[in-house]
Amino acid sequence: DTEVTQTPKHLVMGMTNKKSLKCEQHMGHRAMYWYKQKAKKPPELMFVYSYEKLSINESVPSRFSPECPNSSLLNLHLHALQPEDSALYLCASSRRTGGETEAFFGQGTRLTVV
Amino acid sequence: SQKIEQNSEALNIQEGKTATLTCNYTNYSPAYLQWYRQDPGRGPVFLLLIRENEKEKRKERLKVTFDTTLKQSLFHITASQPADSATYLCALDMRNSGTYKYIFGTGTRLKVLA
């Protein structure tokens, strides 16, 4: 199984809503990532988890809150988002962080904030 | 700060020709460089990784070169096909105080014309 599964595929939320994005992998990878991608732009790193611990937060606003409940799951909790937060949110995993290791990406969650 | 630029936002070539994509970076010396393919609305898919001490890497119709003096990587697709049309992203391994992350370049949208 070389899949990273993200749910939901699409999400529309209001600016006062609270929602969560979910990501799951069963490849035994110990590094997991959240990226944000706007149209015609490259993926932009948000968070890195290594062995279930947050190792990198790329100065992401606190309205985005990551969580890694176990080595297979990664969540992104969303609260009080702005319309400019609308984007494709990608989850990825790799055997470990950086170095000689490829990342496996999910299909993404297309988020629209209204 | 690190800049990773890929040549031309879009590149059109005729089927059967060789496509050459460029990735230039500044202010850093990565130990590894990766290339990914991304189709519209989907997550990136890993293609090739090259180490700083490797000059060239090949996989089927793909070839990557890495010139650490020029701070440049070239990505070649030989005998290109319309199915190769996609956005191609380079990604650099960046280390900061022991933490590792991959940062993506700006991407090149390749269109192979039949």
Side-chain angles (χ1 to χ4, degrees):
Chain A
D1 183 2
T2 56
E3 261 194 11
V4 174
T5 303
Q6 289 187 243
T7 55
K9 288 190 172 21
H10 300 274
L11 178 62
V12 179
M13 62 184 289
M15 288 189 282
T16 58
N17 291 162
K18 283 185 183 181
K19 295 286 184 184
S20 297
L21 309 185
K22 296 185 183 306
C23 175
E24 192 167 0
Q25 57 87 15
H26 296 287
M27 294 177 277
H29 289 172
R30 303 314 297 270
M32 296 187 78
Y33 313 80
W34 281 114
Y35 284 85
K36 172 183 177 179
Q37 187 173 29
K38 301 281 266 186
K40 298 191 177 179
K41 296 290 186 185
E44 187 182 319
L45 184 65
M46 299 173 73
F47 302 104
V48 179
Y49 272 84
S50 178
Y51 290 85
E52 294 100 75
K53 287 188 174 15
L54 182 65
S55 64
I56 295 178
N57 174 343
E58 294 284 68
S59 303
V60 178
S62 60
R63 57 186 185 268
F64 295 90
S65 174
E67 179 197 19
C68 191
N70 61 56
S71 60
S72 299
L73 292 174
L74 186 66
N75 297 322
L76 186 64
H77 303 296
L78 313 172
H79 173 55
L81 294 193
Q82 304 296 311
E84 58 265 28
D85 296 321
S86 299
L88 181 68
Y89 287 84
L90 293 162
C91 172
S93 72
S94 60
R95 280 188 298 112
R96 55 182 177 83
T97 58
E100 202 164 353
T101 175
E102 65 185 269
F104 290 78
F105 282 81
Q107 300 283 48
T109 293
R110 175 73 60 188
L111 174 68
T112 303
V113 182
V114 296
Chain B
S1 64
Q2 178 60 244
K3 282 182 69 174
I4 308 167
E5 293 187 343
Q6 295 185 236
N7 65 317
S8 62
E9 231 179 80
L11 180 66
N12 290 346
I13 64 162
Q14 209 60 41
E15 183 177 8
K17 300 291 186 187
T18 296
T20 299
L21 284 62
T22 306
C23 176
N24 293 293
Y25 58 93
T26 59
N27 301 330
Y28 191 68
S29 297
Y32 305 94
L33 190 148
Q34 298 182 350
W35 283 88
Y36 286 79
R37 168 184 172 141
Q38 186 174 25
D39 291 286
R42 304 177 81 90
V45 174
F46 171 81
L47 295 174
L48 280 168
L49 176 148
I50 188 164
R51 303 179 190 87
E52 62 178 340
N53 61 353
E54 293 179 317
K55 296 293 184 195
E56 184 179 298
K57 199 84 169 275
R58 290 175 186 261
K59 179 182 174 184
E60 296 170 356
R61 294 185 296 112
L62 309 180
K63 184 177 89 171
V64 173
T65 62
F66 194 6
D67 189 325
T68 54
T69 304
L70 291 179
K71 292 188 181 291
Q72 181 182 78
S73 175
L74 298 179
F75 178 80
H76 306 272
I77 306 174
T78 58
S80 59
Q81 305 164 0
D84 295 326
S85 299
T87 295
Y88 291 86
L89 299 153
C90 64
L92 271 60
D93 164 40
M94 297 183 69
R95 280 152 285 151
N96 183 6
S97 302
T99 54
Y100 294 79
K101 60 185 180 183
Y102 271 94
I103 299 298
F104 284 92
T106 48
T108 299
R109 277 181 288 122
L110 174 68
K111 187 169 184 179
V112 180
L113 306 169

